[in-house]
Short mmCIF file of all heavy atoms in Angstrom, two decimals:
data_model
loop_
_atom_site.label_atom_id
_atom_site.label_comp_id
_atom_site.label_asym_id
_atom_site.label_seq_id
_atom_site.Cartn_x
_atom_site.Cartn_y
_atom_site.Cartn_z
N GLU Z 118 -45.70 1.38 -3.97
CA GLU Z 118 -46.79 0.82 -3.13
C GLU Z 118 -46.29 0.81 -1.71
O GLU Z 118 -45.09 0.73 -1.43
CB GLU Z 118 -47.11 -0.64 -3.55
CG GLU Z 118 -47.65 -0.73 -4.95
CD GLU Z 118 -49.02 -0.08 -5.09
OE1 GLU Z 118 -49.74 0.07 -4.13
OE2 GLU Z 118 -49.44 0.24 -6.25
N PRO Z 119 -47.18 0.91 -0.67
CA PRO Z 119 -48.63 1.06 -0.80
C PRO Z 119 -48.98 2.52 -1.14
O PRO Z 119 -48.22 3.42 -0.95
CB PRO Z 119 -49.14 0.67 0.65
CG PRO Z 119 -47.96 1.08 1.51
CD PRO Z 119 -46.73 0.73 0.73
N ARG Z 120 -50.21 2.69 -1.60
CA ARG Z 120 -50.65 4.01 -1.99
C ARG Z 120 -51.87 4.46 -1.09
O ARG Z 120 -52.62 3.68 -0.51
CB ARG Z 120 -51.12 4.02 -3.46
CG ARG Z 120 -49.91 3.72 -4.42
CD ARG Z 120 -50.37 3.98 -5.82
NE ARG Z 120 -49.24 3.60 -6.81
CZ ARG Z 120 -49.28 3.89 -8.08
NH1 ARG Z 120 -50.30 4.54 -8.57
NH2 ARG Z 120 -48.24 3.52 -8.84
N HIS Z 121 -52.03 5.77 -1.03
CA HIS Z 121 -53.12 6.39 -0.24
C HIS Z 121 -53.67 7.54 -1.00
O HIS Z 121 -53.06 8.09 -1.98
CB HIS Z 121 -52.56 6.91 1.15
CG HIS Z 121 -51.82 5.81 1.87
ND1 HIS Z 121 -52.38 4.70 2.45
CD2 HIS Z 121 -50.49 5.70 2.17
CE1 HIS Z 121 -51.48 3.99 3.04
NE2 HIS Z 121 -50.30 4.56 2.93
N ARG Z 122 -54.87 7.97 -0.61
CA ARG Z 122 -55.60 9.08 -1.27
C ARG Z 122 -55.50 10.29 -0.29
O ARG Z 122 -55.81 10.14 0.88
CB ARG Z 122 -56.98 8.71 -1.63
CG ARG Z 122 -57.08 7.59 -2.67
CD ARG Z 122 -58.50 7.21 -2.91
NE ARG Z 122 -59.26 8.29 -3.54
CZ ARG Z 122 -59.21 8.49 -4.86
NH1 ARG Z 122 -58.44 7.77 -5.64
NH2 ARG Z 122 -59.99 9.41 -5.41
N VAL Z 123 -55.11 11.41 -0.87
CA VAL Z 123 -55.03 12.71 -0.10
C VAL Z 123 -56.00 13.70 -0.73
O VAL Z 123 -56.00 13.96 -1.90
CB VAL Z 123 -53.60 13.27 -0.11
CG1 VAL Z 123 -53.59 14.58 0.62
CG2 VAL Z 123 -52.58 12.31 0.49
N HIS Z 124 -56.94 14.21 0.14
CA HIS Z 124 -57.90 15.22 -0.31
C HIS Z 124 -57.43 16.54 0.23
O HIS Z 124 -57.32 16.79 1.42
CB HIS Z 124 -59.28 14.91 0.22
CG HIS Z 124 -60.29 15.94 -0.13
ND1 HIS Z 124 -60.62 16.24 -1.46
CD2 HIS Z 124 -61.09 16.79 0.65
CE1 HIS Z 124 -61.47 17.21 -1.43
NE2 HIS Z 124 -61.77 17.50 -0.21
N PHE Z 125 -57.08 17.51 -0.75
CA PHE Z 125 -56.77 18.85 -0.39
C PHE Z 125 -57.97 19.64 -0.30
O PHE Z 125 -58.65 19.85 -1.36
CB PHE Z 125 -55.73 19.40 -1.39
CG PHE Z 125 -54.36 18.79 -1.36
CD1 PHE Z 125 -54.05 17.77 -2.15
CD2 PHE Z 125 -53.40 19.26 -0.43
CE1 PHE Z 125 -52.81 17.16 -2.16
CE2 PHE Z 125 -52.15 18.67 -0.44
CZ PHE Z 125 -51.86 17.60 -1.25
N ILE Z 126 -58.39 20.10 0.89
CA ILE Z 126 -59.72 20.56 1.10
C ILE Z 126 -59.96 21.89 0.43
O ILE Z 126 -61.01 22.01 -0.29
CB ILE Z 126 -59.99 20.77 2.65
CG1 ILE Z 126 -59.88 19.33 3.35
CG2 ILE Z 126 -61.31 21.39 2.95
CD1 ILE Z 126 -59.91 19.45 4.83
N LYS Z 127 -59.11 22.86 0.62
CA LYS Z 127 -59.29 24.19 0.00
C LYS Z 127 -59.34 24.13 -1.51
O LYS Z 127 -60.07 24.79 -2.15
CB LYS Z 127 -58.25 25.16 0.47
CG LYS Z 127 -58.30 25.59 1.95
CD LYS Z 127 -57.22 26.54 2.33
CE LYS Z 127 -57.24 26.78 3.80
NZ LYS Z 127 -56.14 27.77 4.16
N SER Z 128 -58.40 23.29 -2.11
CA SER Z 128 -58.30 23.16 -3.50
C SER Z 128 -59.37 22.23 -4.07
O SER Z 128 -59.61 22.08 -5.30
CB SER Z 128 -56.92 22.68 -3.95
OG SER Z 128 -55.95 23.52 -3.39
N ASP Z 129 -60.01 21.40 -3.19
CA ASP Z 129 -61.04 20.41 -3.56
C ASP Z 129 -60.45 19.50 -4.64
O ASP Z 129 -61.05 19.26 -5.61
CB ASP Z 129 -62.28 21.10 -4.14
CG ASP Z 129 -63.45 20.11 -4.17
OD1 ASP Z 129 -63.42 19.11 -3.42
OD2 ASP Z 129 -64.43 20.33 -4.93
N ARG Z 130 -59.23 18.98 -4.26
CA ARG Z 130 -58.56 18.05 -5.20
C ARG Z 130 -58.25 16.75 -4.38
O ARG Z 130 -57.79 16.79 -3.25
CB ARG Z 130 -57.27 18.56 -5.80
CG ARG Z 130 -57.48 19.81 -6.70
CD ARG Z 130 -57.87 19.37 -8.07
NE ARG Z 130 -56.87 18.41 -8.66
CZ ARG Z 130 -55.73 18.87 -9.20
NH1 ARG Z 130 -55.35 20.14 -9.23
NH2 ARG Z 130 -54.90 17.93 -9.76
N THR Z 131 -58.54 15.57 -5.00
CA THR Z 131 -58.13 14.28 -4.34
C THR Z 131 -57.17 13.66 -5.28
O THR Z 131 -57.39 13.43 -6.50
CB THR Z 131 -59.38 13.43 -4.18
OG1 THR Z 131 -60.31 14.08 -3.29
CG2 THR Z 131 -58.93 12.12 -3.46
N VAL Z 132 -55.94 13.33 -4.74
CA VAL Z 132 -54.95 12.72 -5.55
C VAL Z 132 -54.33 11.54 -4.79
O VAL Z 132 -54.48 11.39 -3.63
CB VAL Z 132 -53.82 13.78 -5.83
CG1 VAL Z 132 -54.33 14.94 -6.64
CG2 VAL Z 132 -53.19 14.19 -4.58
N GLU Z 133 -53.59 10.70 -5.63
CA GLU Z 133 -52.90 9.42 -5.03
C GLU Z 133 -51.46 9.87 -4.62
O GLU Z 133 -50.81 10.64 -5.27
CB GLU Z 133 -52.88 8.32 -6.05
CG GLU Z 133 -54.08 7.48 -6.05
CD GLU Z 133 -53.90 6.17 -6.71
OE1 GLU Z 133 -52.91 6.06 -7.49
OE2 GLU Z 133 -54.62 5.19 -6.39
N THR Z 134 -51.02 9.16 -3.51
CA THR Z 134 -49.61 9.30 -3.15
C THR Z 134 -49.14 7.93 -2.59
O THR Z 134 -49.93 7.01 -2.49
CB THR Z 134 -49.52 10.37 -2.07
OG1 THR Z 134 -48.13 10.65 -1.83
CG2 THR Z 134 -50.17 9.99 -0.79
N ASP Z 135 -47.87 7.86 -2.30
CA ASP Z 135 -47.34 6.68 -1.63
C ASP Z 135 -46.71 7.13 -0.33
O ASP Z 135 -47.02 8.24 0.27
CB ASP Z 135 -46.29 6.01 -2.51
CG ASP Z 135 -45.12 6.92 -2.86
OD1 ASP Z 135 -44.99 7.93 -2.21
OD2 ASP Z 135 -44.37 6.52 -3.77
N GLU Z 136 -45.85 6.35 0.29
CA GLU Z 136 -45.30 6.65 1.61
C GLU Z 136 -43.89 7.16 1.51
O GLU Z 136 -43.11 7.08 2.52
CB GLU Z 136 -45.37 5.31 2.53
CG GLU Z 136 -46.82 4.87 2.73
CD GLU Z 136 -46.87 3.71 3.68
OE1 GLU Z 136 -45.82 3.14 4.07
OE2 GLU Z 136 -48.02 3.37 4.10
N THR Z 137 -43.53 7.79 0.38
CA THR Z 137 -42.21 8.39 0.21
C THR Z 137 -42.31 9.82 -0.18
O THR Z 137 -41.38 10.64 0.08
CB THR Z 137 -41.32 7.62 -0.77
OG1 THR Z 137 -41.97 7.66 -2.02
CG2 THR Z 137 -41.18 6.15 -0.35
N VAL Z 138 -43.44 10.19 -0.89
CA VAL Z 138 -43.59 11.60 -1.37
C VAL Z 138 -44.12 12.49 -0.26
O VAL Z 138 -45.15 12.13 0.39
CB VAL Z 138 -44.54 11.57 -2.55
CG1 VAL Z 138 -44.76 13.05 -3.03
CG2 VAL Z 138 -43.99 10.77 -3.70
N THR Z 139 -43.43 13.64 0.00
CA THR Z 139 -43.96 14.53 1.00
C THR Z 139 -45.20 15.21 0.52
O THR Z 139 -45.39 15.31 -0.69
CB THR Z 139 -42.91 15.54 1.35
OG1 THR Z 139 -42.64 16.50 0.19
CG2 THR Z 139 -41.48 14.99 1.72
N LEU Z 140 -45.89 15.75 1.46
CA LEU Z 140 -47.11 16.49 1.08
C LEU Z 140 -46.86 17.74 0.26
O LEU Z 140 -47.68 18.11 -0.64
CB LEU Z 140 -47.91 16.87 2.34
CG LEU Z 140 -48.42 15.73 3.22
CD1 LEU Z 140 -49.17 16.38 4.49
CD2 LEU Z 140 -49.35 14.82 2.47
N LEU Z 141 -45.72 18.34 0.47
CA LEU Z 141 -45.37 19.49 -0.35
C LEU Z 141 -45.05 19.11 -1.69
O LEU Z 141 -45.49 19.73 -2.70
CB LEU Z 141 -44.16 20.29 0.29
CG LEU Z 141 -43.66 21.48 -0.48
CD1 LEU Z 141 -44.73 22.51 -0.68
CD2 LEU Z 141 -42.43 22.06 0.25
N GLU Z 142 -44.27 18.05 -1.89
CA GLU Z 142 -43.97 17.53 -3.26
C GLU Z 142 -45.28 17.10 -3.95
O GLU Z 142 -45.41 17.31 -5.13
CB GLU Z 142 -43.00 16.34 -3.14
CG GLU Z 142 -41.66 16.73 -2.65
CD GLU Z 142 -40.77 15.55 -2.36
OE1 GLU Z 142 -41.29 14.44 -2.14
OE2 GLU Z 142 -39.51 15.67 -2.32
N LEU Z 143 -46.14 16.52 -3.20
CA LEU Z 143 -47.42 16.00 -3.73
C LEU Z 143 -48.27 17.23 -4.29
O LEU Z 143 -48.81 17.25 -5.44
CB LEU Z 143 -48.23 15.27 -2.77
CG LEU Z 143 -49.53 14.59 -3.21
CD1 LEU Z 143 -49.23 13.50 -4.24
CD2 LEU Z 143 -50.30 14.04 -2.03
N ALA Z 144 -48.35 18.30 -3.51
CA ALA Z 144 -49.08 19.46 -3.86
C ALA Z 144 -48.44 20.12 -5.09
O ALA Z 144 -49.14 20.51 -6.04
CB ALA Z 144 -49.05 20.44 -2.68
N GLU Z 145 -47.07 20.19 -5.13
CA GLU Z 145 -46.43 20.77 -6.22
C GLU Z 145 -46.63 20.00 -7.54
O GLU Z 145 -46.81 20.52 -8.66
CB GLU Z 145 -44.91 20.91 -6.00
CG GLU Z 145 -44.55 21.90 -4.97
CD GLU Z 145 -43.08 21.95 -4.69
OE1 GLU Z 145 -42.44 20.87 -4.66
OE2 GLU Z 145 -42.54 23.01 -4.33
N ALA Z 146 -46.65 18.64 -7.35
CA ALA Z 146 -46.84 17.82 -8.53
C ALA Z 146 -48.23 17.99 -9.23
O ALA Z 146 -48.34 17.72 -10.42
CB ALA Z 146 -46.66 16.32 -8.13
N HIS Z 147 -49.19 18.42 -8.43
CA HIS Z 147 -50.54 18.58 -8.93
C HIS Z 147 -50.98 20.09 -9.03
O HIS Z 147 -52.10 20.40 -9.22
CB HIS Z 147 -51.50 17.82 -8.06
CG HIS Z 147 -51.32 16.34 -8.12
ND1 HIS Z 147 -51.78 15.52 -9.21
CD2 HIS Z 147 -50.63 15.52 -7.35
CE1 HIS Z 147 -51.42 14.27 -9.00
NE2 HIS Z 147 -50.77 14.20 -7.89
N GLY Z 148 -49.96 20.98 -8.94
CA GLY Z 148 -50.28 22.42 -9.16
C GLY Z 148 -51.17 22.98 -8.07
O GLY Z 148 -51.81 24.01 -8.23
N ILE Z 149 -51.04 22.46 -6.83
CA ILE Z 149 -51.83 22.91 -5.68
C ILE Z 149 -50.95 23.89 -4.86
O ILE Z 149 -49.83 23.56 -4.48
CB ILE Z 149 -52.27 21.76 -4.79
CG1 ILE Z 149 -53.21 20.86 -5.57
CG2 ILE Z 149 -52.93 22.32 -3.53
CD1 ILE Z 149 -53.50 19.53 -4.82
N GLU Z 150 -51.46 25.15 -4.68
CA GLU Z 150 -50.68 26.19 -4.00
C GLU Z 150 -50.52 25.86 -2.55
O GLU Z 150 -51.46 25.50 -1.81
CB GLU Z 150 -51.36 27.61 -4.14
CG GLU Z 150 -51.26 28.09 -5.58
CD GLU Z 150 -49.85 28.47 -5.98
OE1 GLU Z 150 -49.13 28.95 -5.13
OE2 GLU Z 150 -49.52 28.26 -7.09
N MET Z 151 -49.24 25.97 -2.07
CA MET Z 151 -48.93 25.73 -0.65
C MET Z 151 -47.71 26.61 -0.25
O MET Z 151 -46.79 26.65 -0.98
CB MET Z 151 -48.62 24.27 -0.40
CG MET Z 151 -48.46 23.88 1.05
SD MET Z 151 -48.20 22.09 1.28
CE MET Z 151 -49.85 21.46 1.00
N ASP Z 152 -47.84 27.35 0.78
CA ASP Z 152 -46.73 28.24 1.20
C ASP Z 152 -45.63 27.39 1.78
O ASP Z 152 -45.76 26.34 2.37
CB ASP Z 152 -47.18 29.20 2.32
CG ASP Z 152 -48.19 30.23 1.81
OD1 ASP Z 152 -48.15 30.51 0.57
OD2 ASP Z 152 -49.01 30.72 2.56
N TYR Z 153 -44.38 27.84 1.47
CA TYR Z 153 -43.13 27.19 2.03
C TYR Z 153 -42.05 28.15 1.83
O TYR Z 153 -42.10 29.17 1.15
CB TYR Z 153 -42.87 25.94 1.29
CG TYR Z 153 -42.45 26.07 -0.16
CD1 TYR Z 153 -41.14 26.17 -0.50
CD2 TYR Z 153 -43.41 26.16 -1.16
CE1 TYR Z 153 -40.71 26.35 -1.84
CE2 TYR Z 153 -43.06 26.26 -2.45
CZ TYR Z 153 -41.66 26.44 -2.74
OH TYR Z 153 -41.29 26.56 -4.15
N ALA Z 154 -40.91 27.86 2.50
CA ALA Z 154 -39.67 28.68 2.41
C ALA Z 154 -38.47 27.76 2.39
O ALA Z 154 -37.74 27.79 1.45
CB ALA Z 154 -39.64 29.78 3.43
N CYS Z 155 -38.31 27.05 3.50
CA CYS Z 155 -36.98 26.35 3.57
C CYS Z 155 -36.99 24.91 3.08
O CYS Z 155 -35.90 24.42 2.81
CB CYS Z 155 -36.59 26.27 5.08
SG CYS Z 155 -37.56 25.26 6.11
N ARG Z 156 -38.10 24.25 3.04
CA ARG Z 156 -38.24 22.80 2.65
C ARG Z 156 -37.42 21.86 3.61
O ARG Z 156 -37.16 20.77 3.25
CB ARG Z 156 -37.68 22.58 1.23
CG ARG Z 156 -38.42 23.49 0.23
CD ARG Z 156 -37.92 23.19 -1.22
NE ARG Z 156 -38.48 21.97 -1.68
CZ ARG Z 156 -39.56 21.82 -2.46
NH1 ARG Z 156 -40.26 22.94 -2.73
NH2 ARG Z 156 -40.03 20.70 -2.84
N THR Z 157 -37.10 22.33 4.85
CA THR Z 157 -36.38 21.45 5.73
C THR Z 157 -37.11 21.37 7.10
O THR Z 157 -36.55 20.83 8.05
CB THR Z 157 -34.97 21.98 5.98
OG1 THR Z 157 -35.07 23.26 6.65
CG2 THR Z 157 -34.20 22.14 4.64
N GLY Z 158 -38.33 21.87 7.18
CA GLY Z 158 -38.98 21.86 8.51
C GLY Z 158 -38.56 22.92 9.46
O GLY Z 158 -38.85 22.81 10.68
N SER Z 159 -37.76 23.93 8.99
CA SER Z 159 -37.21 24.89 9.90
C SER Z 159 -38.00 26.17 10.02
O SER Z 159 -37.86 26.90 11.02
CB SER Z 159 -35.83 25.28 9.45
OG SER Z 159 -34.92 24.16 9.37
N CYS Z 160 -38.86 26.46 9.04
CA CYS Z 160 -39.51 27.77 9.05
C CYS Z 160 -40.98 27.77 9.44
O CYS Z 160 -41.55 28.82 9.74
CB CYS Z 160 -39.36 28.39 7.65
SG CYS Z 160 -40.35 27.56 6.37
#
């Protein structure tokens, strides 16, 4: 806690998250495709 709702527009999915899970981790957890490479904010 606390929790928030995130709506992924292109995927048309609304999921719950908290204030520790990154958006990339959240997308992966729900099978939502998102481009990435480094996972450190470098690319």
Side-chain angles (χ1 to χ4, degrees):
E118 298 292 340
R120 298 190 182 189
H121 308 289
R122 296 176 67 81
V123 176
H124 177 59
F125 291 94
I126 299 171
K127 292 180 181 178
S128 305
D129 195 22
R130 296 279 303 280
T131 300
V132 297
E133 272 199 338
T134 188
D135 59 15
E136 296 184 354
T137 63
V138 176
T139 68
L140 295 180
L141 178 57
E142 292 170 338
L143 184 66
E145 290 175 327
H147 293 279
I149 297 170
E150 289 293 323
M151 187 176 286
D152 291 333
Y153 67 94
C155 71
R156 306 183 74 95
T157 66
S159 300
C160 68

